[in-house]
Amino acid sequence: ALTLDGVVRAFLAGHRVAALDAPELGAGDDPVSDWGQRLPATLRAAGVSGAVHLVGWSFGATLALAAAQAHPARVASVTAVCPAAWPGGAPPLRDLAALMARVREAVARETAGEPALRSLFAANTARAWDQCRALTRFDAAAAARRVDRPLLVVAGDVDGVVTPRDAGALAACAR
């Protein structure tokens, strides 16, 4: 959530914002979908009723898709910013090391000159591995096809992990 502080402040002008950090993932067959099942309880705990607009960045975009798929009545729309969500699932597990290398390179580039941010990301390497493993089990294209709410996919050419082509392929899956 540290890198989204400016975005959250911008939203606060006219919206109630609940910023959630990426969860610890279980060891189930599909931990992303399992997390998506938690949306109603999470919203109740935050005192939120009715449908919400989910905005997720990177892995958070994948979680937003999973939540919208699991509980469409609680979701008004999904905005996926640089979604770590690939049609057909993430690169196969055998390519997990290559995916993590892309993540490390992107983090190094994005945190250059910001040692506090760099150490924060370094301290979360195990968590990043868990998230990448979880991505290999979640088919984002199938989720996008099942979500019957507006889906906006936002991506740029400076993201070192998810290319605009990847994001475009995901957007093409939306209803």
Side-chain angles (χ1 to χ4, degrees):
L2 177 65
T3 56
L4 288 178
D5 285 348
V7 174
V8 171
R9 277 193 300 279
F11 277 119
L12 285 174
H15 301 78
R16 179 170 178 212
V17 175
L20 306 175
D21 198 4
E24 297 298 323
L25 298 171
D29 290 338
D30 186 356
V32 172
S33 294
D34 293 347
W35 188 87
Q37 293 293 336
R38 299 181 199 168
L39 180 66
T42 302
L43 294 175
R44 268 193 310 278
V48 177
S49 62
V52 297
H53 298 279
L54 296 177
V55 179
W57 173 42
S58 190
F59 188 70
T62 306
L63 296 176
L65 275 172
Q69 177 183 340
H71 299 284
R74 293 301 310 264
V75 177
S77 68
V78 176
T79 300
V81 181
C82 297
W86 292 266
L93 196 55
R94 68 180 179 278
D95 295 334
L96 189 57
L99 177 59
M100 278 302 292
R102 286 173 60 187
V103 169
R104 278 193 299 274
E105 289 168 12
V107 166
R109 191 173 45 256
E110 297 299 318
T111 60
E114 297 184 48
L117 252 176
R118 185 173 291 211
S119 69
L120 175 70
F121 279 104
N124 285 295
T125 300
R127 188 178 196 185
W129 273 102
D130 288 344
Q131 290 176 350
C132 287
R133 281 189 198 95
L135 290 171
T136 66
R137 300 181 192 127
F138 182 74
D139 185 348
R145 283 191 290 274
R146 288 185 193 114
V147 171
D148 65 350
R149 301 296 187 253
L151 170 62
L152 173 65
V153 179
V154 180
D157 59 2
V158 297
D159 189 312
V161 179
V162 180
T163 68
R165 183 174 153 215
D166 295 331
L170 180 64
C173 295
R175 289 184 178 195

